[in-house]
Amino acid sequence: MASQQHRVGDTPWIRRTLIASALILTMLMLVIPLVVIFAQALSSGWATFAENIGNEYTLHAIGLTLFVAALTVPLNLVFGTSLAWLVTRFRFPGRKLLITLIDIPFAVSPVVAGLLYLLLYGRNGWVGSWLTEYDIQLMFSWPGIVMVTVFVTCPFVARELIPLMQQQGTEEEEAGVVLGASGWRIFRRITLPNIKWALIYGVVLTNARAVGEFGAVSVVSGNIRGQTNTLPLHVELLYQDYNIVGAFASASLLAAIAILTLVAKAFVEWRQSRPEHPAPEKGGV
Amino acid sequence: MKHLFKGIAVGAALLSAQPALSADRELLNTSYDIARELFASYNEVFKEHWQEKTGETVEIKQSHAGSSKQAQAIIQGLKADVATFNQVTDINILHDRGGLIPENWADRLPNNSSPYYSTMAFLVREGNPKNIQNWDDLVREDVDLVMPNPKTSGNARYTYLAALGYAQETYGDDQEKIDQFMSDLLSRVKVFDSGGRGATTTFVERGIGDVLLTFESEVLNIADRFDNGEYQPVTPKVSFLAEFPVTWIDDYVEQNGTQELAKEYLEYLYSEEAQRLLAGFNYRVHNDVVKEENADRFPALQLKTIDEIAGGWENAMETHFASGGKLDQLQRRR
């Protein structure tokens, strides 16, 4: 074929300039800041780093952050999968609208999301004033933090699954139905293996966002040290205290989680791009 | 699934492995964002005092954020026992919009319920090269100022009011001259940051400006941190009384059963021991003995109250800082 055909800008020096500028931008905007986080965190030595991480409040912030993620991820896993199943396997009025509505958390600024929850579930809110009568407190305690985190991260799993499940169609599942399998069995033996890697990808993204969420959590947390302070809030707090090393030590934990996420994401993408059942090379009738 | 449960178990274990298990009583103090170290120190002092007095141990939780945000959170249900703020207006809101405290909250503790106070001062660079001594030096053409934006920052509103107090003192009833002075001063500001800490960063880290206008406590903090005399504090002869009001929150202490504890927590701020500690954090205090000890660090000056300068906070906000108010008009003059 005409692989030698010249495209616009395909001269060596244009190519080199483009590559160089991409590289320089990547270094300036991504790599150097990341390196700086770790360099700052360790700028006063490992002992100070360990002391900052081992601080009672930092440990609590880490624990709370993991706790929130551990509740958020399974909730959104179930929610996202059910939703994707619903909108790709059934036709009903309002289906298109529902697919659009899933994206609301992406469209809304997290701070606004936090405020919405506060106005609804806070002491003077519609639901909140009723809950107060029964002495149930959601805002400014961990349930509130979980609620907004679930809200902010709920599209990730569904968004990963919907295109894939639409593309795969329903044939295999219909065959299952014809052969008399139960719904649960169809899901487990046919649907789940097909969407496995997309599902894991969605979970990885959900987890990354749940751990790193700042805006929405900041509104409903109440910033109580050793009680409702998550790791991102803790970073800000330390920074405002002029404890730069401490702030960067905590930030380096978040950065480490981000890097782990990227590795996991790259691995999942690699697995996804490999066909699960390679087509028979010969002899297929 | 197994990993999931393990994760929750680990999280729950980490959460519950915190102290607080052992304390008899618990108290939540909501405070402004730069007071963390102050209350971390005071809490230790108070814990000891309470144990001596009652034999009970007490765990004090701290929440820190901008005091307007804290006031909103308390109104929306953050069940804080006490509020220790840097803005009188933010405590007034707890009454006006939250109905959580009585209107006369300020009369319940001495000195308008303000156990410590500060004023607005200047920080200049080494050797005071522009020879800044008082407010009138700030409007000179060769002087660049750094302060936060009075629209967004309480700190800057204090500076604005302090300058206004000086202008009223100097020009008496001549409103035109007062306005001219204020307009000149605002036009000398090179960078308006959104908050006090941002302004400090601009002045110290970015090296912009000849004078930083902020709380005396912040000015002294910075001068202390750079021991080599890189920065020098200057206290003008006339300035503004910046109160740091405290209150217990009646509705919540009743629900939490912490009335006595919360009251004692705030009252003990007036004790000699606590006042000495507060002075150590560069705040001015009321206790005579401690005042005497720190006389050289806190030069005597004429402090004007909000009532003298602008006829109360409500009036000040309306006349000066509301949209289209005096501040907007002054900034448009040039």
Side-chain angles (χ1 to χ4, degrees):
Chain A
M1 298 291 255
S3 61
Q4 289 305 310
Q5 206 174 26
H6 276 278
R7 286 161 298 180
V8 179
D10 202 18
T11 53
W13 67 270
I14 287 191
R15 224 173 33 210
R16 272 179 219 139
T17 322
L18 283 177
I19 292 173
S21 53
L23 264 178
I24 291 171
L25 274 179
T26 315
M27 290 299 288
L28 284 179
M29 317 269 296
L30 295 173
V31 181
I32 293 178
L34 204 58
V35 173
V36 166
I37 292 179
F38 288 98
Q40 282 279 2
L42 295 171
S43 61
S44 307
W46 281 98
T48 321
F49 178 82
E51 194 182 301
N52 273 304
I53 298 293
N55 174 287
E56 162 198 342
Y57 294 122
T58 309
L59 282 181
H60 186 276
I62 296 170
L64 178 64
T65 304
L66 294 178
F67 177 72
V68 170
L71 285 181
T72 304
V73 170
L75 273 173
N76 273 333
L77 179 70
V78 173
F79 171 78
T81 315
S82 332
L83 196 78
W85 172 275
L86 180 70
V87 299
T88 57
R89 296 294 179 259
F90 300 95
R91 308 274 142 190
F92 53 91
R95 184 176 145 272
K96 280 260 156 64
L97 184 69
L98 192 59
I99 296 181
T100 312
L101 286 181
I102 300 171
D103 281 340
I104 284 186
F106 280 166
V108 171
S109 159
V111 177
V112 177
L115 283 175
L116 288 178
Y117 271 74
L118 196 55
L119 291 181
L120 202 56
Y121 296 101
R123 191 178 67 105
N124 297 334
W126 296 340
V127 185
S129 48
W130 178 76
L131 286 174
T132 309
E133 278 174 40
Y134 296 91
D135 209 19
I136 298 172
Q137 179 155 16
L138 296 177
M139 297 294 110
F140 310 112
S141 58
W142 67 263
I145 298 177
V146 173
M147 281 161 77
V148 295
T149 312
V150 166
F151 175 83
V152 169
T153 58
C154 80
F156 284 104
V157 171
R159 269 283 148 229
E160 280 305 313
L161 291 186
I162 290 171
L164 181 74
M165 288 173 75
Q166 249 162 0
Q167 182 204 336
Q168 283 177 343
T170 54
E171 279 168 33
E172 286 183 37
E173 282 146 16
E174 276 161 10
V177 174
V178 171
L179 292 174
S182 67
W184 172 241
R185 197 175 154 89
I186 292 174
F187 177 76
R188 230 166 43 98
R189 303 306 274 285
I190 302 174
T191 315
L192 199 56
N194 279 338
I195 61 170
K196 188 169 66 181
W197 292 107
L199 198 62
I200 294 175
Y201 189 40
V203 164
V204 168
L205 290 180
T206 307
N207 183 57
R209 184 65 194 269
V211 168
E213 177 54 32
F214 177 86
V217 172
S218 163
V219 177
V220 301
S221 135
N223 300 77
I224 307 168
R225 286 209 158 188
Q227 194 165 315
T228 63
N229 225 25
T230 61
L231 203 49
L233 299 187
H234 194 60
V235 171
E236 193 210 17
L237 215 128
L238 290 173
Y239 184 72
Q240 284 183 338
D241 274 357
Y242 290 133
N243 183 355
I244 307 292
V245 173
F248 276 99
S250 295
S252 70
L253 289 182
L254 286 171
I257 292 173
I259 292 171
L260 279 180
T261 306
L262 286 183
V263 172
K265 176 174 165 282
F267 174 74
V268 172
E269 272 175 351
W270 172 70
R271 283 303 301 254
Q272 238 176 336
S273 65
R274 252 180 20 164
E276 283 285 309
H277 311 287
E281 279 168 18
K282 50 180 179 179
V285 181
Chain B
M1 266 322 198
K2 227 189 212 167
H3 290 287
L4 168 67
F5 288 127
K6 225 191 253 170
I8 295 182
V10 169
L14 268 168
L15 283 183
S16 57
Q18 299 307 312
L21 300 165
S22 50
D24 302 326
R25 307 287 296 269
E26 213 181 281
L27 188 82
L28 174 59
N29 176 10
T30 45
S31 196
Y32 52 100
D33 42 10
I34 54 172
R36 196 192 65 83
E37 281 176 33
L38 192 167
F39 282 103
S41 308
Y42 173 66
N43 288 348
E44 292 309 312
V45 172
F46 178 74
K47 274 184 208 168
E48 216 165 278
H49 164 71
W50 185 258
Q51 191 156 19
E52 254 169 47
K53 195 176 167 194
T54 65
E56 291 175 328
T57 53
V58 64
E59 153 98 16
I60 299 163
K61 299 237 183 238
Q62 287 290 141
S63 163
H64 293 281
S67 72
S68 302
K69 184 179 170 190
Q70 295 290 55
Q72 273 311 329
I74 291 170
I75 291 171
Q76 286 297 344
L78 176 62
K79 292 202 172 137
D81 299 292
V82 299
T84 50
F85 287 176
N86 54 359
Q87 299 274 326
V88 175
T89 41
D90 288 327
I91 294 203
N92 281 335
I93 281 177
L94 298 181
H95 164 75
D96 298 344
R97 283 205 227 134
L100 294 164
I101 56 172
E103 193 173 2
N104 69 343
W105 63 268
D107 303 333
R108 300 193 292 187
L109 290 167
N111 307 101
N112 249 345
S113 286
S114 170
Y116 53 100
Y117 62 100
S118 191
T119 182
M120 306 318 288
F122 315 146
L123 187 69
V124 299
R125 298 191 189 276
E126 187 165 8
N128 197 358
K130 300 269 166 101
N131 190 25
I132 308 290
Q133 301 299 339
N134 207 346
W135 292 99
D136 50 353
D137 293 316
L138 302 184
V139 295
R140 291 198 325 244
E141 290 287 329
D142 63 328
V143 177
D144 285 332
L145 311 178
V146 172
M147 68 184 268
N149 189 345
K151 280 272 173 187
T152 57
S153 159
N155 176 325
R157 274 177 227 145
Y158 285 175
T159 294
Y160 175 98
L161 292 164
L164 185 61
Y166 165 83
Q168 289 168 346
E169 184 79 18
T170 313
Y171 303 114
D173 288 336
D174 194 340
Q175 189 60 40
E176 180 51 34
K177 276 196 172 158
I178 293 176
D179 287 353
Q180 191 57 49
F181 174 83
M182 290 305 289
S183 165
D184 288 346
L185 184 92
L186 291 168
S187 73
R188 297 308 322 150
V189 178
K190 190 136 194 222
V191 177
F192 280 118
D193 279 285
S194 66
R197 275 285 146 99
T200 300
T201 310
T202 301
F203 186 76
V204 173
E205 314 264 333
R206 292 169 61 196
I208 292 176
D210 302 306
V211 187
L212 171 69
L213 298 150
T214 186
F215 284 115
E216 181 187 51
S217 52
E218 179 88 350
V219 162
L220 294 175
N221 274 339
I222 302 168
D224 287 351
R225 276 201 304 134
F226 297 87
D227 237 352
N228 50 12
E230 207 177 330
Y231 302 100
Q232 292 177 9
V234 174
T235 312
K237 315 280 176 299
V238 180
S239 196
F240 179 68
L241 170 68
E243 295 180 305
F244 288 73
V246 300
T247 187
W248 62 89
I249 296 155
D250 299 63
D251 277 28
Y252 295 153
V253 292
E254 199 177 306
Q255 285 175 32
N256 299 342
T258 48
Q259 291 104 322
E260 284 161 51
L261 179 63
K263 198 163 172 236
E264 183 70 19
Y265 181 79
L266 298 179
E267 274 173 355
Y268 199 66
L269 280 167
Y270 292 86
S271 69
E272 191 179 315
E273 187 185 13
Q275 296 264 296
R276 189 167 290 122
L277 187 127
L278 290 161
F281 280 92
N282 294 319
Y283 289 109
R284 292 180 180 237
V285 294
H286 304 290
N287 182 288
D288 289 330
V289 181
V290 183
K291 249 171 150 171
E292 189 65 33
E293 289 166 5
N294 291 286
D296 53 328
R297 284 172 63 223
F298 300 114
L301 74 169
Q302 186 190 350
L303 284 177
K304 300 194 141 220
T305 66
I306 185 67
D307 292 334
E308 290 164 1
I309 296 173
W313 273 112
E314 211 172 308
N315 216 345
M317 297 302 282
E318 228 166 81
T319 328
H320 293 277
F321 305 116
S323 195
K326 199 88 198 177
L327 173 66
D328 285 345
Q329 293 165 26
L330 290 171
Q331 285 186 316
R332 243 180 272 132
R333 271 168 81 109
R334 285 222 160 198

